[in-house]
Amino acid sequence: MARRTSTLHRVSVTALAWCVGFVIFFPVLWTILTSFKTEFDAFSLPPKFLFFQWTTENYAEVQARSNYARFAMNSVVLALGSTLLALVFAIPAAWAMAFQPTKRTRDVLMWMLSTKMMPPVGALIPLYLLFRDFGLLDTRTGLVLVLFLINLPIVIWMLYTYFKEIPVDILEAARMDGASLWKELAFVLAPMALPGIASTLLLNVILAWNEAFWTLNLTTTNAAPLTQFIASYSSPEGLFWAKLSAASTMAIGPILILGWFAQKQLVRGLTFGAVK
């Protein structure tokens, strides 16, 4: 029997949800507003929320000082490259653990998840030395490999959760019809799990786009993504908040738009299997 809720209750819950959402989004909103202020207004006390001298000068100065397109292209290559590489390895791995489980499958999944809890700085020095010896420092190839490895456990977990929801009977029927393993993966499993694969792809792109620790420590100029672009506005002379906010807005803009249009798929991907 469905629970009846009053109009007042629904309005209260909706208003509370909007308030919580506004509080969470406020730092991003403040960054965007600051990017349209002068440096004087950005430091003013009390802070000016809407009533200040609007200007786009910061964006022009940021573009004149830095080649935004080069940083953005590096971010696109790193995010898409690491995501596609992760899917190539994660789909067979998730398939094996979902449909051919062993006694150790659960342990393996938990172990992969536990690797995400290790502080990245613990692996920085050995990885840096390896990159130096193999000539991978400040290269797109090196960063794609790092981003692929650090996000692979999340990709496998998400795909495993999706694949577990697919009835095994369908795959067995395909095998009885003579489908090979490749045909089973490509023509039976992949189309059914396409929403889950798309959600996983989107989430991994966002994670790779926002990754800062490894990109700041393993790159300088050639493969520097937008995280380096933002960090370049912190100088010994001090912080220029308006220009830093303009650089931050330009860096988060593409992924913010992508997240807005893909929010339903992302929420479904993150909660799939957890709310059954």
Side-chain angles (χ1 to χ4, degrees):
M1 181 178 176
R3 181 180 298 176
R4 300 180 62 181
T5 57
S6 64
T7 302
L8 179 61
H9 177 76
R10 289 197 299 271
V11 171
S12 301
V13 171
T14 302
L16 180 62
W18 274 99
C19 289
V20 172
F22 180 77
V23 170
I24 295 174
F25 184 72
F26 186 76
V28 178
L29 176 62
W30 186 257
T31 300
I32 295 172
L33 290 174
T34 305
S35 69
F36 291 101
K37 298 177 181 177
T38 62
E39 291 293 347
F40 178 79
D41 286 336
F43 280 97
S44 66
L45 290 174
K48 298 178 180 177
F49 188 66
L50 290 175
F51 302 102
F52 55 84
Q53 182 182 350
W54 290 72
T55 177
T56 58
E57 183 182 342
N58 297 313
Y59 288 93
E61 289 191 22
V62 167
Q63 179 58 29
R65 171 182 162 178
S66 307
N67 187 352
Y68 170 79
R70 180 173 63 84
F71 289 99
M73 181 54 67
N74 282 336
S75 285
V76 171
V77 171
L78 298 181
L80 293 181
S82 63
T83 299
L84 294 177
L85 191 58
L87 287 178
V88 168
F89 284 87
I91 290 177
W95 174 88
M97 286 188 278
F99 300 114
Q100 302 290 336
T102 66
K103 294 181 180 178
R104 299 294 183 187
T105 295
R106 198 72 182 175
D107 296 336
V108 171
L109 284 167
M110 293 305 296
W111 171 77
M112 286 192 296
L113 198 61
S114 69
T115 60
K116 295 295 294 178
M117 302 174 188
M118 185 184 75
V121 69
L124 176 59
I125 293 178
L127 198 60
Y128 184 90
L129 295 176
L130 281 173
F131 268 50
R132 183 197 63 186
D133 295 343
F134 285 96
L136 292 173
L137 283 175
D138 201 17
T139 63
R140 289 175 174 176
T141 303
L143 272 184
V144 165
L145 288 174
V146 169
L147 297 177
F148 150 65
L149 290 173
I150 64 173
N151 290 329
L152 185 61
I154 298 297
V155 177
I156 292 178
W157 256 99
M158 287 189 66
L159 290 177
Y160 169 79
T161 307
Y162 269 106
F163 290 173
K164 286 293 286 183
E165 304 300 322
I166 296 176
V168 182
D169 296 344
I170 296 177
L171 299 182
E172 290 179 346
R175 292 169 197 163
M176 291 181 67
D177 289 339
S180 63
L181 178 59
W182 162 247
K183 289 183 178 178
E184 179 183 322
L185 279 171
F187 299 109
V188 180
L189 183 65
M192 296 181 65
L194 195 57
I197 294 174
S199 300
T200 306
L201 186 149
L202 288 170
L203 180 65
N204 197 71
V205 165
I206 292 173
L207 291 175
W209 189 282
N210 293 331
E211 173 59 38
F213 179 81
W214 295 109
T215 56
L216 291 176
N217 285 287
L218 299 177
T219 62
T220 51
T221 52
N222 295 330
L226 286 169
T227 47
Q228 276 277 8
F229 173 71
I230 298 173
S232 67
Y233 283 86
S234 172
S235 67
E237 291 79 17
L239 288 174
F240 298 92
W241 289 113
K243 295 178 182 60
L244 179 62
S245 298
S248 299
T249 303
M250 293 170 71
I252 66 175
I255 207 66
L256 202 64
I257 295 171
L258 175 65
W260 176 264
F261 284 106
Q263 54 183 309
K264 289 184 179 179
Q265 288 76 13
L266 287 173
V267 171
R268 184 172 184 270
L270 291 171
T271 59
F272 200 74
V275 294
K276 289 190 66 181

